Amino acid sequence: MLRLSSRFIRTKVSPVKDLFTKTSSSCSFTTFTVNPTIQKQREKAIPCNFLKWSSLGLYRTSRFATGFTPLQPKPLDSIIDIERAKDKSAEDLATIWDDYHLGRGHICASLKTQLYRLLEHRSADCRYFVIPLWKGSGYATMFVQVQLPHILVTGLEDYKARGTQAAPYFTASFYTDFAESKDLVLIRGDIVFTSKLTDSEAEWLLETIQSFYLNDVRFKLVERFNKEARNFEFKDVLRALSMPLL
């Protein structure tokens, strides 16, 4: 479904230095002010009346999740030499993308264009979801917003405590510059708070989020969360991930 780099078995390839001629900082995102009209439209789109969420202690209002604002990632041409990249095959480019980001504080992956379009289509009216992240003897519930070309993740407990002021723990941006020419979408993720997520946890979240949107069976849970909130059961997500019901 997607290609995630492995820090343990992959080796550097020589084209990396040729394509990535510009250094990049560990955090490449800045926020900007949201147009009030867009903000109101976003609030109306957020599902509410989640009557069966008492097990999570969640109280939802029409403003829930509006603290997530769109991000402005670094443009791809500030990371990679696009002209040189045009001469590479999709496989070589994906490999170079993976290898370049090893040890640089980013999570990287790539996706076929058809799958990206499916993700785009399904997230258009199903932006939100919750995913349990296993930690030790229990799990922390992550709140997810898919607002392509971005995915944003924060802790549900932080949203309960801070509301719209809660900041994302992890963000991912999708670059579609080669979607048509190479059938390839490049993905770059940033862990905003390393005290909240490890690299391996961020990788797992990125894979798992995509699996819930791209797998037909799992996507039914996403649809239920966004469109049939009264019928949504968090335990169904736990079962889908083979996690114990605590």
Side-chain angles (χ1 to χ4, degrees):
M1 187 189 307
L2 72 159
R3 306 179 68 259
L4 282 174
S5 63
S6 168
R7 288 168 168 68
F8 304 104
I9 62 174
R10 299 182 69 83
T11 58
K12 299 273 186 179
V13 293
S14 57
V16 172
K17 292 183 179 179
D18 294 332
L19 290 181
F20 295 85
T21 57
K22 302 171 183 177
T23 59
S24 60
S25 62
S26 60
C27 183
S28 59
F29 297 90
T30 56
T31 60
F32 62 90
T33 303
V34 183
N35 181 288
T37 301
I38 296 176
Q39 182 80 352
K40 290 181 180 179
Q41 292 174 346
R42 186 179 306 156
E43 291 179 13
K44 292 179 181 179
I46 296 171
C48 54
N49 291 327
F50 279 65
L51 302 181
K52 294 187 177 183
W53 278 71
S54 57
S55 62
L56 293 180
L58 172 63
Y59 175 74
R60 298 187 62 136
T61 71
S62 63
R63 285 187 56 79
F64 188 78
T66 58
F68 276 146
T69 56
L71 299 176
Q72 291 182 323
K74 295 182 66 173
L76 188 60
D77 62 8
S78 71
I79 305 171
I80 186 174
D81 187 327
I82 291 183
E83 288 304 313
R84 292 184 179 181
K86 289 179 180 178
D87 296 329
K88 304 296 180 182
S89 67
E91 183 177 355
D92 286 345
L93 183 56
T95 298
I96 293 169
W97 179 258
D98 289 354
D99 289 338
Y100 171 76
H101 286 98
L102 290 178
R104 291 177 179 265
H106 302 285
I107 305 302
C108 61
S110 58
L111 194 67
K112 290 289 187 181
T113 300
Q114 183 178 4
L115 291 177
Y116 176 79
R117 297 305 180 199
L118 179 60
L119 177 62
E120 187 176 48
H121 172 72
R122 288 182 168 179
S123 64
D125 59 356
C126 291
R127 289 185 178 180
Y128 311 106
F129 198 52
V130 282
I131 291 178
L133 175 65
W134 192 259
K135 285 181 172 288
S137 59
Y139 57 80
T141 305
M142 298 290 113
F143 182 81
V144 178
Q145 179 172 338
V146 181
Q147 188 175 332
L148 292 180
H150 313 292
I151 290 178
L152 306 99
V153 180
T154 195
L156 184 60
E157 289 300 319
D158 269 2
Y159 251 108
K160 288 162 58 178
R162 299 179 177 85
T164 60
Q165 300 304 311
Y169 294 178
F170 172 70
T171 63
S173 289
F174 292 71
Y175 292 95
T176 59
D177 303 61
F178 299 106
E180 302 303 324
S181 62
K182 299 184 184 297
D183 189 26
L184 182 70
V185 175
L186 300 173
I187 310 170
R188 171 166 157 156
D190 288 273
I191 301 175
V192 181
F193 293 108
T194 55
S195 61
K196 301 289 188 179
L197 291 176
T198 65
D199 285 3
S200 60
E201 288 171 341
E203 288 180 350
W204 182 86
L205 280 170
L206 182 58
E207 284 186 310
T208 303
I209 292 166
Q210 291 183 82
S211 76
F212 272 99
Y213 278 86
L214 298 177
N215 178 280
D216 292 343
V217 176
R218 287 189 172 188
F219 182 64
K220 292 183 183 300
L221 294 175
V222 180
E223 283 189 303
R224 196 175 304 158
F225 182 85
N226 286 270
K227 299 179 180 181
E228 303 173 23
R230 295 172 184 268
N231 298 321
F232 180 79
E233 295 282 358
F234 188 67
K235 63 184 179 181
D236 292 334
V237 181
L238 293 172
R239 290 194 183 101
L241 295 171
S242 300
M243 288 187 179
L245 304 179
L246 301 179

